[in-house]
């Protein structure tokens, strides 16, 4: 698993080696520091969101209590203690971890082509819960839609051949109308809606949706 990390000076990308799952204030993950010189224990949402996972693959992950991750970390109490106390990890260990960092794939933009692409976006945005439509702009056959997730993340959509539902307007969601969302493929199009459905026929009249023949998106971390 890897994702975007909030550093002291900028955002950077890191392999995620392990996570401790508890309540929001106690959950944390083990990632590289901003200079890729050591490992740090990162609180996920204290005081702001600090990690956005855009690849959820958990190859070779194990579970040990509330810890989940690579076995040579979650079963090494001394290593976990050193990382959490801010001690610098030995160069030998760092060399081992840098091999995983090479697996991180960074893209400027993403295109929705598979169900896995959909799952990645929905997970990254927490289902757009509490989000709202920030702007809608049209350029020839392209429609640019910006949705602020309000989770320190803004999604910029570029839609080709877009169709927007009547209620799909700037400001929608500002009063909490977006609780969750889903995306699906149907009839050669890709649909996004603030409804948990898998068919356009199931979308309620008081919900919004867009459909498009092509959907690309970019993430803006704030």
């Amino acid at each position: 698993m890897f994702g975007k990390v909030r550093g002291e000076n900028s955002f950077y990308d890191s392999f995620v080696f392990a996570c401790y799952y508890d309540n929001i204030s106690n959950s944390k993950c083990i990632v590289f520091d901003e200079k890729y010189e050591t490992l740090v224990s990162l609180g996920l949402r204290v005081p702001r969101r600090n990690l956005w996972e855009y690849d959820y693959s958990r190859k070779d992950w194990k579970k040990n209590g509330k810890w989940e991750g690579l076995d040579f970390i979650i079963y090494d109490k001394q290593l976990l203690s050193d990382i959490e106390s801010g001690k610098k990890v030995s160069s030998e260990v760092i060399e081992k971890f840098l091999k995983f960092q090479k697996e991180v794939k960074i893209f400027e933009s993403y295109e929705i082509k598979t169900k896995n692409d959909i799952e990645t976006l929905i997970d990254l945005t927490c289902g757009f819960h509490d989000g709202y439509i920030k702007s809608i702009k049209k350029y020839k056959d392209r429609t640019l839609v910006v949705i602020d997730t309000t989770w320190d993340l803004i999604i910029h959509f570029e839609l080709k051949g877009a169709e927007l539902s009547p209620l799909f307007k700037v400001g929608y969601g500002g009063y909490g109308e977006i609780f969750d969302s889903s995306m699906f493929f149907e009839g050669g199009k890709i649909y996004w809606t603030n409804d948990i459905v898998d068919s356009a026929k199931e979308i309620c009249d008081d919900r919004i949706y867009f459909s498009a023949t092509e959907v690309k998106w970019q993430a803006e971390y704030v």
Side-chain angles (χ1 to χ4, degrees):
M1 185 170 77
F2 42 83
K4 187 73 69 174
V5 181
R6 183 191 301 279
E8 292 184 7
N9 303 309
S10 62
F11 298 98
Y12 65 98
D13 299 86
S14 175
F15 194 95
V16 180
F17 300 96
C19 289
Y20 180 89
Y21 293 111
D22 200 353
N23 57 49
I24 292 179
S25 60
N26 290 329
S27 294
K28 52 196 171 185
C29 286
I30 303 299
V31 298
F32 266 113
D33 71 325
E34 204 163 350
K35 295 182 179 180
Y36 303 99
E37 294 177 342
T38 191
L39 300 176
V40 295
S41 177
L42 183 76
L44 292 184
R45 289 192 171 93
V46 181
R48 301 176 65 183
R49 186 174 181 181
N50 294 307
L51 176 65
W52 298 261
E53 303 97 327
Y54 54 80
D55 181 284
Y56 272 83
S57 58
R58 287 171 165 78
K59 183 181 179 182
D60 299 325
W61 272 39
K62 307 294 183 181
K63 188 172 183 179
N64 183 20
K66 293 185 178 181
W67 279 102
E68 294 182 25
L70 299 176
D71 56 3
F72 56 82
I73 299 178
I74 63 173
Y75 292 113
D76 190 331
K77 293 183 179 180
Q78 186 59 55
L79 178 57
L80 282 175
S81 177
D82 289 345
I83 295 171
E84 293 192 272
S85 61
K87 292 183 180 179
K88 193 169 183 178
V89 180
S90 69
S91 58
E92 291 80 6
V93 173
I94 291 301
E95 284 299 317
K96 183 177 182 178
F97 283 84
L98 283 172
K99 293 180 181 179
F100 289 89
Q101 182 62 24
K102 293 179 180 179
E103 297 180 19
V104 176
K105 299 177 182 179
I106 305 170
F107 301 96
E108 291 299 322
S109 63
Y110 300 81
E111 184 173 354
I112 300 295
K113 291 184 175 180
T114 67
K115 288 185 177 180
N116 184 64
D117 295 334
I118 289 175
E119 291 172 0
T120 296
L121 178 60
I122 295 300
D123 287 340
L124 179 70
T125 58
C126 301
F128 290 90
H129 174 71
D130 284 341
Y132 68 93
I133 301 173
K134 192 172 183 179
S135 69
I136 302 171
K137 297 180 180 179
K138 295 183 179 181
Y139 297 95
K140 296 182 180 179
D141 67 335
R142 304 282 173 167
T143 301
L144 306 182
V145 173
V146 179
I147 299 181
D148 190 331
T149 70
T150 69
W151 293 93
D152 298 312
L153 175 68
I154 298 172
I155 299 298
H156 297 256
F157 284 106
E158 179 182 333
L159 313 176
K160 182 178 180 181
E163 177 185 339
L164 309 181
S165 63
L167 293 177
F168 198 100
K169 298 178 180 179
V170 172
Y172 186 96
Y175 292 98
E177 300 96 324
I178 301 178
F179 295 100
D180 209 338
S181 62
S182 55
M183 295 186 78
F184 54 88
F185 301 96
E186 183 176 295
K189 294 183 178 181
I190 305 163
Y191 285 80
W192 176 91
T193 176
N194 67 321
D195 210 347
I196 305 301
V197 298
D198 54 17
S199 172
K201 296 179 181 179
E202 299 175 7
I203 300 175
C204 298
D205 292 338
D206 62 345
R207 300 292 192 267
I208 61 170
Y209 73 84
F210 71 65
S211 67
T213 56
E214 181 182 281
V215 176
K216 295 180 180 180
W217 62 273
Q218 288 183 309
E220 178 186 351
Y221 305 93
V222 295

